[in-house]
């Protein structure tokens, strides 16, 4: 018997906007203080400069406030206490699926990122064995082989887009880990990198454009990319069901997995989990490696230290995740009225925490915008307040693939630093986009030089 998934979520933008406004009008307690009037300027700034917008609001209103973004009042909870409240101590009073995380359902479906409650708990238990440390260790050799092949062609003086290079490599590794396929024998699967880039670009468009439907809209582009990705995933599922072929890959585990009640995953559920893992398994790695080498290019003394010390590389990785946490926002919906820091929040309100903003608060972090890996060294790390550092979320929703991603990033970074240093072009200026993870607009051009 397959596990019963949640009820479908409507993709009708008019119905969703109407329901949101109705819920807001029915609030039984006041929203927190903040900017509650409609403003397209504020809505646009939330898309192009969310960090600045939220830091300004925090400075004016404190750790909990409301901002009207497009049609709805969104409550933001920032800082160590707020993060702990939402992810650990009171996590049960918030819904992922009914919050803005549900906006990813049209692409990802009902995978671990977009489901709640018992269905999430049972699905997570089924998938946990795939990320046991023994399996990750076994995958490390495959990761290292792909990384070696990708770096072996580099020559001093080469110029490349590190973001695009890493995306293709990370997706190649994800395909091996998920499907157990050789990408060189299935070249059509490598097009998945472009399809993901197209699909995820939907969430970087202006809010008014995301509402539109029709053949030439961003929605239509995202749906076309989804159908191409679906054809790849469902095709692999059908082949495995027909032939009975299994391996050490995650897809094999999902096809045969059962929970303690004998529940198994339907083809649709397998597809949704695979799509979610493909997304999370390559997009976050791509962003982290790109931002890591940007910071190392600006701090060459740390690049040299990281090249010679696994411990120093780990410090640099931790600090990169502080400055640039890929999953920068944790969107939820409040299921009950509650009070926090002297402010009330009504049931039904959209409530978000943000690791990116919390990691940049000047009253929590010294020199918050400066790359300082030493803040994670032994003795200093213990001084970081509980809840202040949450690059992978927290509590029961901590990223299931965290160890897999960290190992992949370590191997990529160590191999590159073994022979090379990466330099930024003269006049480099970073522009960040959120679609929905952080990344550099237009990629990150670098020049390769030999390590001294």
């Amino acid at each position: 018997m397959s596990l019963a998934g949640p009820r479908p979520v409507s993709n009708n933008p008019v119905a969703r906007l109407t329901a949101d406004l109705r819920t807001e009008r029915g609030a039984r307690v006041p929203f927190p203080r903040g900017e509650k009037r409609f403003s397209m300027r504020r809505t646009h700034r939330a898309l192009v400069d969310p960090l600045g917008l939220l830091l300004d609001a925090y400075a004016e209103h404190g750790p909990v406030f409301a901002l009207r973004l497009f049609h709805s009042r969104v409550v933001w909870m920032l800082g160590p206490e707020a993060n702990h409240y939402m992810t650990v101590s009171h996590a049960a009073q918030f819904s992922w699926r009914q919050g803005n995380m549900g906006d990813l359902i049209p692409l990802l479906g009902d995978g671990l990122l977009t489901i709640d409650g018992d269905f999430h708990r049972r699905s997570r238990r089924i998938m946990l064995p795939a990320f046991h440390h023994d399996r990750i260790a076994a995958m490390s050799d495959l990761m290292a082989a792909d990384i070696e092949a990708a770096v072996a062609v580099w020559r001093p003086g080469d110029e490349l887009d590190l973001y695009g290079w890493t995306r293709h490599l990370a997706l190649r590794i994800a395909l091996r880990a998920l499907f157990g396929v050789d990408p060189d024998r299935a070249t059509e699967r490598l097009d998945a990198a472009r399809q993901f880039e197209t699909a995820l670009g939907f969430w970087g468009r202006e809010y008014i454009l995301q509402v539109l439907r029709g053949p030439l809209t961003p929605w239509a582009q995202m749906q076309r990319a989804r159908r191409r990705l679906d054809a790849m995933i469902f095709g692999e599922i059908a082949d495995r069901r027909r032939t009975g072929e299994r391996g050490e890959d995650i897809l094999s585990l999902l096809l045969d997995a059962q929970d303690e009640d004998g529940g198994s995953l339907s083809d649709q559920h397998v597809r949704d989990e695979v799509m979610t893992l493909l997304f999370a398994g390559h997009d976050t790695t791509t962003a982290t490696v790109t931002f890591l080498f940007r910071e190392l290019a600006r701090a060459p003394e740390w690049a040299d230290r990281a090249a010679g010390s696994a411990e120093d590389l780990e410090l640099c990785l931790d600090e990169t995740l502080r400055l640039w946490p890929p999953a920068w926002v944790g969107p939820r919906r409040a299921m009950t009225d509650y009070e926090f820091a002297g402010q009330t929040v009504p049931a039904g309100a959209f409530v978000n925490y943000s690791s990116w903003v919390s990691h940049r608060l000047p009253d929590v972090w010294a020199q918050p915008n400066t790359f300082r890996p030493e803040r994670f060294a032994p003795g200093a790390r213990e001084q970081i307040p509980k809840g202040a550092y949450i690059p992978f979320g927290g509590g029961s929703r901590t990223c299931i693939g965290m160890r897999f991603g960290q190992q992949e990033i370590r191997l990529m970074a160590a191999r590159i630093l073994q022979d090379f240093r990466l330099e930024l072009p003269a006049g480099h200026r970073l522009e960040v986009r959120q679609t929905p993870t952080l990344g550099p607009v237009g990629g990150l051009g670098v020049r390769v030089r030999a390590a001294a």
Side-chain angles (χ1 to χ4, degrees):
M1 180 182 67
S2 295
L3 298 179
R7 295 176 59 183
V9 172
S10 172
N11 291 323
N12 184 314
V14 175
R16 295 189 64 181
L17 266 62
T18 301
D20 292 344
L21 292 171
R22 187 181 301 117
T23 299
E24 181 181 308
R25 287 197 300 268
R28 294 171 297 185
V29 301
F31 277 76
R33 59 191 167 221
E35 306 298 327
K36 304 174 188 177
R37 293 185 177 180
F38 176 81
S39 169
M40 282 305 299
R41 177 177 293 181
R42 185 188 315 117
T43 299
H44 176 70
R45 189 182 179 196
L47 188 68
V48 300
D49 182 27
L51 180 62
L53 173 67
L54 295 172
L55 286 173
D56 288 348
Y58 177 88
E60 181 176 357
H61 302 296
V64 56
F65 52 86
L67 297 177
R68 185 172 292 281
L69 303 177
F70 197 45
H71 72 292
S72 64
R73 293 180 185 178
V74 179
V75 176
W76 294 86
M77 293 181 56
L78 304 175
E81 294 82 7
N83 294 334
H84 185 75
Y85 185 97
M86 288 191 65
T87 64
V88 181
S89 64
H90 293 74
Q93 72 185 38
F94 297 98
S95 168
W96 282 54
R97 184 178 178 78
Q98 296 182 49
N100 287 324
M101 186 61 76
D103 293 348
L104 291 173
I105 292 174
L107 174 63
L108 302 183
D110 292 322
L112 286 182
L113 276 177
T114 58
I115 55 180
D116 286 305
D118 184 60
F119 187 63
H120 176 269
R121 286 188 291 273
R122 296 176 71 186
S123 298
R124 188 179 176 94
R125 280 199 297 267
I126 283 176
M127 296 179 66
L128 273 174
F131 296 96
H132 189 272
H133 63 82
D134 289 342
R135 280 184 173 265
I136 293 173
M139 293 176 190
S140 294
D141 289 341
L142 291 176
M143 294 182 191
D146 278 335
I147 293 166
E148 177 62 36
V151 175
V153 299
W154 286 12
R155 297 291 181 271
D158 286 352
E159 295 182 356
L160 58 96
D161 170 18
L162 182 64
Y163 187 72
W165 179 89
T166 307
R167 180 181 289 280
H168 280 83
L169 175 56
L171 190 58
R172 178 187 180 94
I173 291 171
L175 286 168
R176 280 191 185 275
L178 282 170
F179 293 144
V181 300
D182 179 359
D184 292 330
R185 295 175 59 192
T187 55
E188 74 277 4
R189 290 187 170 92
L190 294 184
D191 188 52
R194 183 165 63 88
Q195 301 307 327
F196 266 110
E197 188 76 16
T198 298
L200 295 172
F202 172 79
W203 286 277
R205 308 298 290 271
E206 294 287 352
Y207 289 101
I208 189 64
L209 296 178
Q210 293 183 32
V211 171
L212 300 178
R213 298 293 185 265
L216 300 178
T217 63
W219 171 266
Q221 295 172 4
M222 184 264 285
Q223 289 294 294
R224 281 195 295 272
R226 171 185 167 146
R227 287 193 293 272
R228 290 169 181 144
L229 291 165
D230 278 354
M232 175 187 73
I233 296 170
F234 278 121
E236 192 67 33
I237 291 171
D239 287 346
R240 297 291 184 88
R241 296 283 197 202
R242 185 182 67 255
T243 65
E245 178 188 351
R246 299 292 187 269
E248 294 298 316
D249 54 279
I250 295 173
L251 177 58
S252 294
L253 183 146
L254 294 178
L255 290 173
D256 294 335
Q258 291 186 331
D259 68 5
E260 65 274 16
D261 299 322
S264 60
L265 307 183
S266 67
D267 284 1
Q268 183 65 50
H269 192 173
V270 172
R271 174 266 176 213
D272 292 349
E273 297 297 2
V274 168
M275 182 75 87
T276 298
L277 291 172
L278 275 174
F279 158 63
H282 89 282
D283 206 54
T284 56
T285 295
T286 299
T288 301
V289 169
T290 302
F291 285 123
L292 171 63
F293 278 95
R294 177 190 183 262
E295 297 302 331
L296 293 178
R298 289 154 50 92
E301 69 281 4
W302 274 105
D304 292 338
R305 289 178 61 171
S309 165
E311 290 77 13
D312 284 338
L313 175 57
E314 201 69 26
L315 298 183
C316 293
L317 175 57
D318 287 342
E319 177 68 343
T320 299
L321 289 168
R322 183 190 68 82
L323 288 169
W324 309 106
W328 69 279
V329 63
R332 308 284 198 273
R333 188 189 285 264
M335 304 309 291
T336 62
D337 300 336
Y338 69 95
E339 183 176 334
F340 180 83
Q343 300 289 306
T344 57
V345 178
F350 292 109
V351 186
N352 296 349
Y353 74 87
S354 172
S355 53
W356 192 20
V357 182
S358 290
H359 292 175
R360 302 278 188 131
L361 295 178
D363 54 347
V364 177
W365 303 90
Q367 298 179 274
N369 298 317
T370 302
F371 183 71
R372 292 180 55 199
E374 64 269 19
R375 69 175 93 233
F376 290 96
R381 189 184 193 108
E382 290 74 14
Q383 303 304 310
I384 298 172
K386 179 175 65 175
Y389 182 66
I390 53 164
F392 298 101
S396 64
R397 302 298 299 239
T398 299
C399 175
I400 193 172
M402 176 179 67
R403 288 197 296 265
F404 178 94
Q406 287 179 314
Q407 177 68 353
E408 184 179 6
I409 293 164
R410 290 186 194 103
L411 291 172
M412 283 191 197
R415 178 60 189 90
I416 292 171
L417 289 169
Q418 176 183 323
D419 291 336
F420 301 108
R421 299 293 182 269
L422 303 183
E423 298 176 337
L424 299 171
H428 163 75
R429 197 158 166 246
L430 179 66
E431 184 179 352
V432 180
R433 62 99 179 98
Q434 309 83 38
T435 57
T437 55
L438 298 181
V441 174
L444 185 73
V446 297
R447 178 185 291 272
V448 176
R449 71 170 176 83

